[in-house]
Every structure is written in C-alpha cells, then in structure tokens.
Amino acid sequence: MKTAVTELLGIEYPIIQGGMAWVGEYHLAAAVSEAGGLGIIGAASAPADIVREQIRKARELTSKPIGVNVMLLNPNADEVAKVIVEEGVEVVTTGAGSPAKFMEMWKAAGVKVIPVVASVAMAKLMERAGADAVVAEGMESGGHIGSATTMTLVPQVVDAVNIPVIAAGGIADGRGFAAAFMLGAQGVQMGTRFVVAKESIVHDNYKQKVIKARDIDSEVTGMSTGHPVRQIRNKMTREYLKLEKEGATFEELEYLTLGSLRKAVMEGDVVNGTLMAGQCAGMVTKEQTCRQIIQEIIQEASALLNK
C-alpha cells in the first residue's frame, strides 16, 4: 500500500506504532517494523544510554527503519536527540512541546521528524519549523490527550498543512484505518492495539484489562491540572478523581501516580497502576503478533477502500 507516508519513511504499510512509555521498547518496535509498519521506541524520561541500548537491540532484530519518540519535557532530551543522530535512527516522533531546537541537527543527519499535535495551530507551527509530517492525535487516544476528537481534528489539520498527516486516536481496526484515509490522512498511528501484541512486554494482567475492556471503561484523570490522561478505570483512577473533586494540589495528585505506569506495565498492578489505553480498547479483543495485527488491518481497510 503506497501513500505519501510509506514513501517518506521507506515502509511497506502506513501504520506507525505509538511511542508509548515503558510499552514501546525494542521488542515491540522491531516486530512492528519487521511486519512492514514503523516501530517506535518510546524514550519517555529514559537516560540517553538506555535509549542507545534500545536502538541497538532493535537493530539486532530488524534491518528495517525504526523510530524513536522523544518527549521534549524529558530532562535528558538534549542527549537523547544526539543519540538519535549518532545511531542513525531514521524517524523521530515528538511530544510535549516543539522540537524546533533539534530540527537543524536532525535534518542535517537525514532524520525524518514527525511531531504529534493536538491542534491546527500546532500543526502549522510544526510545518514552519521543518517537520516532514505530523501525527494529528484525537482525544480518544490513550495517555496524554488534547481536547479535539480524531474525526474533527484530522480533516482540519489536513486542510491547514501541505505535509502528510497521520491520524491517531481511536483507531484499532481496518474500519478506523479506512475512515482516517477518508478524512484525508496518509497513514495511521496506533497504540492500544499494539499494547496487547504478542511481542509486547506488557504484563499479561494489563493486556487482559485491555482485551476485556468495554466501551464505558475509559477514564480521564488530570483535567483540573491541565494534563489530562486517558486510561482504563480502576481503584487508582477512582481515588485520583475523588482527590481532584476535593481540590487536591498538583503535588498530591502527582504523588498518587508516581511510578504507576511502570507498576502496571512491568509488575501487572492493575489496581493501583496506570492502565493507559484509548477509547478503542473495547474493540481490542485478542492477543496477536504484530504481523497478524497489521495484515488484518490492511486486508479489512483495503476491502473497504476499494468498494
């Protein structure tokens, strides 16, 4: 399937794996790339040497292009940005700010830069800064979210910029893929569906929570702090929302979630851990390999788009 995104990134299918903290590590990233999509290592707040190690381990598993997601608020972002160049990473996705200060270095090294945006204004700003494409992420997605839905955000971003747009948020199957293309996107980014991939190191407790999730099991915490996060409801979200209602300070709320994502991913704590997942979790019903996931989506989408 050829689109502006497959041509830009040198991949077979226009499917990008979200750069999820703790989840997007080298096993998953390499498996997605090997299956024809673009696997992304989520650098999150990791030190540069850990990111370098992850890149090298992914390279041992695939010779196909891989990407790294850089959270620009990461105190190690400057060092991670250099590691990306030194290790010859093909693609960078960015979140939590503007990558403008790294753009010249990355572009000189031939790195394709794809910021994740939640508004038209940010998309236009990123295009002016030299981005090769943007991921327009709707609030249906898991993790940190904006306020616009995928259905409304994607076409407005498509109309506003001249670079390829990748749709994200609420996409878990061929129907969502086809819908994204109808809105003008040239590719999709998915996170939740890959959380339950066989190659994902996510604890089985977490995977089962996603697989068993219903349409009403999605919860957004942090609205009062200006940092909303979408996840599957559990004891922790109930406590968090109660504290928010009672007017707890940002520090009190932060303390409640300290290390909670790692607890969920690595230890399988589905009671007090943060189970980041999008509203599409109710559509994710089985564990499959990355290759099976991608093939199933492409077959279903192709049948719909060629009707």
Side-chain angles (χ1 to χ4, degrees):
M1 183 177 281
K2 282 190 178 178
T3 73
V5 168
T6 62
E7 297 292 302
L8 175 71
L9 305 180
I11 57 178
E12 199 175 345
Y13 306 114
I15 294 178
I16 296 174
Q17 164 237 318
M20 303 163 281
W22 290 101
V23 178
E25 54 78 74
Y26 75 93
H27 291 96
L28 182 61
V32 171
S33 289
E34 196 59 18
L38 181 74
I40 305 275
I41 292 164
S45 56
D49 58 336
I50 297 291
V51 178
R52 191 189 300 278
E53 184 187 13
Q54 287 280 313
I55 295 164
R56 289 182 177 178
K57 284 183 172 175
R59 293 280 192 222
E60 290 172 12
L61 299 175
T62 184
S63 58
K64 295 184 178 179
I66 56 164
V68 172
N69 175 262
V70 179
M71 189 181 73
L72 297 160
L73 290 176
N74 177 0
N76 308 306
D78 287 26
E79 290 76 31
V80 170
K82 288 176 192 155
V83 164
I84 283 160
V85 172
E86 290 162 7
E87 294 298 321
V89 171
E90 291 87 349
V91 187
V92 169
T93 61
T94 65
S98 169
K101 72 172 183 174
F102 303 128
M103 201 67 88
E104 192 179 337
M105 174 177 70
W106 283 340
K107 301 296 279 186
V111 181
K112 299 290 187 283
V113 184
I114 307 178
V116 178
V117 301
S119 70
V120 167
M122 194 63 172
K124 288 164 90 169
L125 187 66
M126 292 299 95
E127 182 179 36
R128 285 198 298 273
D132 294 281
V134 289
V135 174
E137 185 174 65
M139 56 138 5
E140 298 95 320
S141 63
H144 296 271
I145 59 170
S147 57
T149 64
T150 305
M151 182 69 83
T152 58
L153 179 65
V154 172
Q156 291 182 78
V157 171
V158 168
D159 290 347
V161 298
N162 295 306
I163 52 178
V165 176
I166 296 154
I171 301 165
D173 62 12
R175 294 172 297 181
F177 181 107
F181 275 72
M182 289 295 100
L183 297 175
Q186 294 283 315
V188 301
Q189 177 176 283
M190 303 190 314
T192 306
R193 182 83 187 261
F194 286 122
V195 167
V196 305
K198 284 201 162 124
E199 297 91 343
S200 160
I201 61 153
V202 171
H203 196 285
D204 192 56
N205 292 356
Y206 190 155
K207 288 185 180 181
Q208 290 307 314
K209 275 286 186 184
V210 174
I211 288 167
K212 290 172 183 171
R214 300 165 298 165
D215 60 326
I216 58 169
D217 287 336
S218 189
E219 197 85 85
V220 177
T221 59
M223 292 293 276
S224 66
T225 68
H227 299 285
V229 175
R230 185 177 300 286
Q231 58 215 281
I232 294 171
R233 66 175 82 221
N234 61 2
K235 183 186 171 195
M236 193 277 289
T237 63
R238 286 193 295 274
E239 285 180 15
Y240 193 109
L241 292 169
K242 182 171 173 284
L243 283 172
E244 268 195 285
K245 205 171 179 183
E246 292 167 356
T249 65
F250 180 72
E251 288 72 24
E252 287 173 312
L253 293 168
E254 279 289 284
Y255 182 74
L256 182 65
T257 61
L258 203 61
S260 60
L261 179 58
R262 184 192 61 77
K263 269 189 216 166
V265 174
M266 307 303 291
E267 298 169 19
D269 185 347
V270 294
V271 177
N272 300 301
T274 296
L275 303 167
M276 288 190 187
Q279 285 184 313
C280 64
M283 297 155 60
V284 178
T285 59
K286 57 188 180 289
E287 190 178 359
Q288 296 170 289
T289 65
C290 292
R291 190 172 296 280
Q292 287 169 335
I293 290 169
I294 290 173
Q295 291 295 334
E296 189 177 281
I297 287 167
I298 294 297
Q299 284 165 13
E300 188 179 358
S302 296
L304 290 167
L305 292 169
N306 295 325
K307 270 186 178 177

